[in-house]
Amino acid sequence: MPRNRPQGSNLRCILIEIVVFVITFVVGGSLALYWCSEEKVEEHDVPPTNLVELPDCQCPPFKLMDQDDIRKNTGGQYLRNLQTWDPMIEHNAEYPCWFNIECRAGLGVSSYFTTLFRSNGNPIYINRVVSNRSIFTYQPREIGDFKCAQHTDGSYQWHFHNYPVTDVGFACQADVDSCHCPYVKIDDQSGARVQERFPGALDQCYLYTARCDVHEFSSEDHFPFLSSEDTIINNLAVSHNIFYDDLICIKEDTVFNWYYSNKKLEDVIIKCGSIEEELEKSKVCQCGAFPVINKVEMLAKYKYYQTRRYISANVGKNSWTPSCKFNITCEEGFKGVVFSDNYDPIEFSEIYVTCTFNPLSNDLHMWIVNSVRVINPAGGCFKKR
Ligand SMILES: *[C@@H]1O[C@H](CO)[C@@H](O)[C@H](O)[C@H]1NC(C)=O
Ligand SMILES: *[C@@H]1O[C@H](CO)[C@@H](O)[C@H](O)[C@H]1NC(C)=O
């Protein structure tokens, strides 16, 4: 049965409605006026100016990254405080997806990096300039094994060493803080000897060429290592003079720290030692060892929070053998996992690994695992869950 309201309350309702209407109008109107005067309406039909399109190339445009973009880039945010400016990207109408890249000195900065950012991994340093001179080869630079290709889903993506890199961006970043970074110790007891690599560069400290004095009483070959709290960088250079082009001093919010690629180092020491027998045995390429994990105990050297998911997992049969280029493939029900000192475990049903030239110098090599650069990797097959 419908309820009839008494006549008197009808008028009250109308009055309340008018009051509510007026309040809404006045408040809404003044808020709108306030916002419109504070903020310009965003213009969505104007494309962002920080994108570089390669006309006729089917791969996505590149982004010129500013500091804010770098702060939001998961793999690259450790570089967020460095002075940043745009590189120049040159392309050629004849080869639609070809390009090269150059960073010029900016605003009183004479030492700087060219860096590639992406959303699915840590940055790759493309070029390093010290005192206005590229330390390896002239700019502009091309990037080795970087190409536009179709991904398995049919989309065109940039590929670095045969695996897609997504949301690719580039930046020039200053490298002028190294004299603020912690002292790099030299263990001369072990035979380590160093020489300043760029003696004229006032903005560079502790960047050495290292070698080992021959031990009179030892028949073993000794090599320099860059050793830190939880990692050992072992650049197996062709000669016995070893250098560390990826070593860069990064200004964190209140302190300065050394990084090797994206790996933060603490208590950095250059020391000499013979290459351990085990390491020597599993050495497969100029990049050094790529141990095959066939028992969980081998995970002990990696950080617990990264390995705890795998410690109770079954280790599968490893029917693959590391070499300079290889695939990790696992039996049914297992997946490949690569552990490293500088990256979270990389899991895929198929993993492509290559030992390749470091863009910073042809005398340096690096492991690349599905387009990600890893330091001291090891891999194995683990039961899927
Ligand atoms: C590098 O080049 C810039 C611009 O030409 C110049 O101002 C600066 O003094 C140079 N720096 C060094 C260390 O030579
Ligand atoms: C790795 O696997 C891919 C895809 O199956 C294949 O094209 C490539 O040749 C393999 N690479 C090596 C070094 O076995």
Side-chain angles (χ1 to χ4, degrees), residues 18-304:
I18 289 172
V19 169
V20 167
F21 183 80
V22 167
I23 290 175
T24 311
F25 187 78
V26 168
V27 171
S30 48
L31 274 180
L33 210 75
Y34 172 73
W35 277 324
C36 292
S37 62
E38 282 294 297
E39 244 177 326
K40 281 190 205 120
V41 178
E42 262 184 74
E43 290 172 60
H44 287 291
D45 50 349
V46 178
T49 53
N50 58 352
L51 292 182
V52 177
E53 296 260 11
L54 305 190
D56 304 322
C57 177
Q58 284 173 289
C59 271
F62 301 125
K63 190 167 199 190
L64 301 179
M65 308 281 283
D66 61 20
Q67 269 180 301
D68 199 44
D69 298 321
I70 293 167
R71 189 174 306 116
K72 292 176 195 148
N73 181 266
T74 309
Q77 54 176 249
Y78 73 100
L79 299 169
R80 67 190 173 277
N81 290 330
L82 301 188
Q83 188 189 333
T84 300
W85 65 99
D86 286 349
M88 290 178 303
I89 295 178
E90 186 180 65
H91 48 90
N92 185 328
E94 238 179 289
Y95 308 99
C97 292
W98 176 91
F99 70 98
N100 66 19
I101 182 161
E102 174 162 9
C103 283
R104 297 240 174 111
L107 299 166
V109 173
S110 327
S111 300
Y112 48 92
F113 278 83
T114 307
T115 306
L116 179 158
F117 294 88
R118 24 76 86 85
S119 56
N120 63 338
N122 33 294
I124 305 279
Y125 305 135
I126 301 302
N127 192 65
R128 184 172 189 173
V129 168
V130 172
S131 281
N132 290 336
R133 276 186 50 199
S134 279
I135 60 173
F136 167 52
T137 188
Y138 297 110
Q139 297 196 79
R141 290 290 306 268
E142 288 176 51
I143 306 170
D145 212 336
F146 191 89
K147 57 179 186 281
C148 180
Q150 241 172 332
H151 190 30
T152 46
D153 67 2
S155 66
Y156 281 87
Q157 296 292 344
W158 293 106
H159 283 60
F160 185 51
H161 293 281
N162 293 328
Y163 194 82
V165 280
T166 45
D167 306 305
V168 175
F170 293 101
C172 309
Q173 291 203 287
D175 165 31
V176 293
D177 290 324
S178 80
C179 299
H180 300 296
C181 244
Y183 188 72
V184 173
K185 287 198 205 92
I186 312 301
D187 182 355
D188 18 327
Q189 292 284 303
S190 71
R193 303 285 177 267
V194 296
Q195 228 176 350
E196 281 277 354
R197 205 157 161 239
F198 309 103
L202 299 178
D203 55 10
Q204 302 296 320
C205 291
Y206 316 113
L207 291 190
Y208 298 125
T209 304
R211 64 183 175 81
C212 295
D213 254 3
V214 183
H215 268 233
E216 271 178 65
F217 309 106
S218 164
S219 55
E220 283 173 296
D221 248 348
H222 278 59
F223 292 91
F225 297 94
L226 188 69
S227 148
S228 152
E229 211 163 69
D230 59 357
T231 191
I232 289 180
I233 309 291
N234 169 21
N235 275 348
L236 305 156
V238 197
S239 74
H240 282 206
N241 281 328
I242 292 196
F243 49 89
Y244 305 97
D245 281 353
D246 294 271
L247 188 65
I248 174 173
C249 180
I250 307 280
K251 182 174 189 277
E252 312 260 24
D253 295 324
T254 52
V255 288
F256 293 88
N257 278 307
W258 289 110
Y259 276 75
Y260 187 82
S261 181
N262 69 322
K263 169 73 185 147
K264 187 199 261 190
L265 307 179
E266 271 155 304
D267 300 324
V268 186
I269 305 177
I270 294 177
K271 58 176 153 193
C272 287
S274 60
I275 291 182
E276 287 170 60
E277 213 173 284
E278 193 159 334
L279 217 63
E280 182 66 88
K281 250 195 316 204
S282 54
K283 180 183 157 193
V284 278
C285 222
Q286 280 110 317
C287 293
F290 195 108
V292 179
I293 295 170
N294 42 34
K295 48 181 196 285
V296 284
E297 288 76 23
M298 291 177 70
L299 298 182
K301 76 178 280 264
Y302 297 102
K303 292 253 188 319
Y304 176 69

